[in-house]
């Protein structure tokens, strides 16, 4: 409830505040470890501002640790290759001030950063609310068009006939399989499950019980990447939002089937027993994660999870394959939901041209190479694949990821101005279905008018 209220307040306050903001223009969930693996581009005299003066680009970033080291390196590379610009960077965790009010306060004070780095789940609703500048003319000046980006992120660019978000890189959704446990259960990892019924079959064979106690669960739908219910909305082909008509369809047969499929696992193994079993699980970057300790034999997670495996279970024999889809959506296999890192210029940014130049520069292959090698992130700009080490080496997993990103069914699902608010409500429905054996259709039908009201408020 707190998250929903906060999201609503932020959206409402932005709409009110941005009306008075004017443009004072005067002219990414990943990082990496060891930067600078590729040859850097040559300096271009045209990259120096025509005024001859050094211009500052105020940049808020949200990553710490090794990712911060990489981010600072790419800032330095930009300055080195663009001597007329200086990056004034500020670390603003966890999401560049979006959910804690810092960005809103900066907009109200007309002292905003020129560019911020935000996950698309937060940036898209803000873009629809008018929180960001239209970058169309600035990107055209750089020679960029929408066609420079992969088709699967086009929906993030085309918002109300403007260009408000700059997609940088994307994470994909994958199925991880413990091959040792699979083979022990008589399963062939070279023929992984592609549909939910096949997942069910594998899960049953991989589950090990000791009387009433669970030793190993073959699969738990609602942990790791599967905790995001929008993932299963996509997998079952549910279209929760139609951008053309600006309407919602929350109680569709496809979405109800998704909940019913998850509920089968709770009913079969008892929700409280599973809840007790999962209570001791560690996080993704923890040696106690259920996949590393063989408490779970298969799990859905992002491409970055392979780095956690390298750190905490380096000897584990793992298959990493496209995520499964519902049996009536087999044409979607080989695609997946995407989580895109985006850049945006808040309303009132002073140096939009410099911000766009910075973002365009850091989209180059040599800048992204280490992020790709470490986290297996995929660039959203087509030309950024040329020269990536993993592409040149024909890395099998990266080839899978490239295929996922280029698939016409891959997308960022449920792109609506109330995405965050609706997400919280739908997660609540999911929990009631799992733990209380509630009827998902009835709950979703009851939720529909409430969300329609929120959508009308958002405009």
């Amino acid at each position: 409830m707190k998250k929903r209220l906060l999201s609503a307040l932020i959206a409402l306050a932005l709409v009110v505040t941005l009306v008075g903001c004017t443009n004072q223009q005067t002219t990414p969930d990943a990082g990496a470890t060891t930067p600078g693996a590729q040859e850097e581009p040559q300096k271009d005299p045209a990259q120096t501002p025509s005024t001859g003066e050094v211009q500052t680009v105020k940049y808020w970033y949200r990553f710490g640790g090794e990712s911060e080291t990489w981010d600072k390196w790419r800032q330095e590379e930009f300055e080195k290759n663009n001597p007329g610009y200086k990056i004034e960077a500020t670390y603003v965790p966890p999401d560049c001030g979006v959910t804690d009010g810092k960005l809103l306060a900066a907009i109200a004070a007309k002292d905003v950063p020129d560019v911020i780095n935000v996950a698309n789940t937060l940036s898209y609703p803000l873009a629809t609310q008018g929180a960001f500048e239209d970058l169309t003319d600035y990107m055209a000046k750089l020679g960029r068009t929408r066609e420079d980006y992969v088709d699967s992120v086009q929906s993030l660019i085309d918002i109300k006939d403007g260009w408000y978000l700059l997609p940088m890189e994307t994470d994909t959704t994958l199925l991880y399989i413990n091959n040792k446990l699979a083979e022990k259960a008589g399963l062939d990892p070279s023929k992984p499950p592609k549909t939910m019924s096949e997942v069910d079959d594998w899960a049953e064979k991989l589950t090990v019980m000791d009387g009433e106690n669970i030793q190993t669960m073959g699969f738990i739908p609602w942990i790791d990447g599967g905790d995001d219910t929008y993932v299963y909305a996509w997998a079952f082909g549910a279209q929760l939002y139609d951008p053309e008509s600006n309407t919602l369809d929350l109680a569709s047969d496809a979405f109800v089937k998704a909940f019913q499929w998850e509920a089968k696992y709770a009913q079969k193994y008892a929700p409280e027993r599973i809840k007790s079993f999962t209570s001791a699980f560690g996080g993704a970057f923890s040696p106690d994660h259920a996949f590393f300790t063989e408490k779970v034999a298969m799990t859905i997670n992002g491409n970055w999870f392979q780095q956690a495996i390298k750190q905490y279970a380096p000897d584990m024999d793992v298959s990493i394959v496209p995520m499964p889809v519902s049996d009536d959506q087999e044409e979607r296999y080989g695609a997946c939901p995407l989580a895109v890192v985006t850049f945006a210029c808040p309303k009132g940014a002073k140096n939009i041209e410099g911000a766009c130049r910075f973002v365009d520069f850091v989209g180059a292959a040599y800048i992204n190479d280490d992020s790709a090698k470490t986290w297996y992130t995929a660039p959203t700009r087509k030309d950024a694949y040329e020269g990536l080490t993993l592409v040149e080496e024909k890395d099998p997993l990266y080839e899978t990821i490239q295929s996922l990103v280029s698939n016409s069914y891959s997308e960022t699902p449920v792109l609506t101005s109330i995405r965050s608010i609706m997400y919280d409500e739908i997660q609540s429905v999911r929990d009631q279905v799992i733990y209380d054996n509630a009827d998902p259709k009835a709950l979703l039908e009851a939720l529909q008018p409430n969300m329609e009201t929120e959508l009308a408020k958002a405009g």
Side-chain angles (χ1 to χ4, degrees):
M1 178 61 73
K2 289 182 179 178
K3 287 176 64 181
R4 186 171 77 85
L5 180 59
L6 178 58
S7 299
L9 288 173
I10 288 174
L12 178 61
L14 276 170
V15 173
V16 174
T17 304
L18 295 178
V19 171
C21 290
T22 57
N23 179 7
Q24 302 177 35
Q25 167 74 6
T26 57
T27 347
D29 253 330
T33 51
T34 308
Q38 296 189 352
E39 182 180 354
E40 65 187 58
Q42 298 297 311
K43 296 182 178 66
D44 180 357
Q47 294 174 350
T48 302
S50 58
T51 61
E53 300 177 356
V54 175
Q55 293 187 16
T56 297
V57 177
K58 296 174 65 176
Y59 168 46
W60 283 10
Y61 65 96
R62 59 195 174 95
F63 299 122
E66 293 178 343
S67 296
E68 182 178 35
T69 300
W70 174 70
D71 204 346
K72 288 182 176 179
W73 169 77
R74 65 180 180 175
Q75 295 167 33
E76 293 169 359
E77 288 298 297
F78 172 75
E79 291 177 342
K80 184 165 59 175
N81 288 275
N82 296 265
Y85 293 94
K86 179 176 178 56
I87 300 297
E88 182 182 300
T90 304
Y91 177 43
V92 186
D95 47 36
C96 288
V98 173
T99 56
D100 63 7
K102 289 180 181 178
L103 180 62
L104 177 60
I107 292 174
K110 298 184 180 181
D111 184 23
V112 299
D114 297 309
V115 62
I116 63 174
N117 179 315
V118 189
N120 70 273
T121 52
L122 293 175
S123 63
Y124 186 88
L126 291 177
T128 64
Q129 295 288 347
F132 302 134
E133 296 284 355
D134 186 352
L135 309 177
T136 302
D137 292 341
Y138 303 97
M139 295 305 290
K141 189 172 182 178
L142 291 171
R144 290 292 172 200
T145 68
R146 288 161 167 77
E147 286 66 41
D148 291 333
Y149 297 81
V150 295
D151 292 344
S152 56
V153 302
Q154 289 291 329
S155 55
L156 290 171
I157 297 175
D158 298 318
I159 302 173
K160 296 184 177 180
D161 299 320
W163 189 343
Y164 300 94
L165 302 178
L166 297 175
M168 175 56 58
E169 61 188 11
T170 185
D171 287 321
T172 48
T173 312
L174 299 147
L175 177 67
Y176 290 77
I177 302 170
N178 184 317
N179 290 338
K180 184 188 79 172
L181 296 181
E183 291 170 354
K184 185 177 179 180
L187 298 164
D188 185 355
S190 70
K191 299 176 181 178
K194 297 181 179 181
T195 64
M196 294 309 183
S197 62
E198 291 174 351
V199 168
D200 296 343
D201 180 58
W202 276 54
E204 183 173 359
K205 292 176 180 177
L206 286 164
T207 297
V208 179
M209 302 289 294
D210 180 11
E212 293 295 313
N213 298 318
I214 302 172
Q215 298 300 306
T216 298
M217 280 286 288
F219 184 71
I220 303 175
W222 54 86
I223 67 169
D224 293 337
D227 183 51
D228 183 346
T229 308
Y230 287 155
V231 165
Y232 294 128
W234 177 89
F236 278 78
Q239 298 297 322
L240 305 188
Y241 174 71
D242 180 3
E244 294 297 325
S245 60
N246 192 35
T247 57
L248 301 171
D249 185 13
L250 302 188
S252 67
D253 290 343
F255 203 31
V256 170
K257 286 179 181 178
F259 283 104
Q260 291 172 337
W261 170 74
E262 290 192 78
K264 286 193 306 182
Y265 282 79
Q267 294 161 6
K268 185 170 185 176
Y269 299 103
E272 290 306 318
R273 181 189 296 158
I274 298 177
K275 192 172 186 179
S276 175
F277 180 65
T278 59
S279 64
F281 290 178
F285 282 86
S286 161
D288 297 325
H289 187 277
F291 192 70
F292 307 151
T293 58
E294 299 188 345
K295 296 295 185 182
V296 171
M298 300 186 297
T299 192
I300 286 176
N301 227 325
N303 44 268
W304 44 266
F305 190 57
Q306 53 75 37
Q307 181 60 214
I309 294 173
K310 290 177 182 177
Q311 291 185 31
Y312 297 107
D315 298 325
M316 179 178 283
D317 183 10
V318 180
S319 288
I320 308 175
V321 298
M323 69 167 287
V325 295
S326 66
D327 292 55
D328 60 354
Q329 296 289 322
E330 288 189 69
E331 70 275 9
R332 286 176 175 255
Y333 185 75
C336 72
L338 303 175
V340 185
V341 174
T342 62
F343 285 81
C345 297
K347 203 73 172 179
K350 297 180 175 62
N351 193 354
I352 302 175
E353 182 175 329
C356 289
R357 190 176 295 279
F358 167 64
V359 175
D360 193 66
F361 177 85
V362 299
Y366 102 96
I367 296 290
N368 286 282
D369 194 53
D370 291 288
S371 179
K373 287 190 297 186
T374 304
W375 305 107
Y376 278 66
T377 54
T380 56
R381 215 171 67 202
K382 297 173 183 176
D383 67 339
Y385 287 92
E386 300 172 7
L388 287 183
T389 299
L390 294 178
V391 173
E392 293 180 344
E393 293 178 348
K394 299 185 183 303
D395 181 90
L397 174 56
Y398 207 72
E399 288 182 342
T400 296
I401 287 171
Q402 280 185 273
S403 177
L404 289 170
V405 173
S406 64
N407 192 294
S408 61
Y409 285 105
S410 292
E411 62 177 343
T412 299
V414 199
L415 286 176
T416 168
S417 57
I418 62 167
R419 190 183 198 279
S420 298
I421 297 171
M422 195 163 71
Y423 176 88
D424 293 339
E425 296 292 348
I426 288 175
Q427 294 297 88
S428 176
V429 169
R430 191 274 313 273
D431 289 345
Q432 292 178 68
V433 171
I434 290 173
Y435 297 112
D436 300 331
N437 199 26
D439 176 13
K441 188 171 185 64
L443 291 175
L444 291 169
E445 287 177 342
L447 180 61
Q448 173 94 13
N450 295 338
M451 292 299 97
E452 288 175 342
T453 299
E454 295 291 346
L455 188 62
K457 289 178 182 176

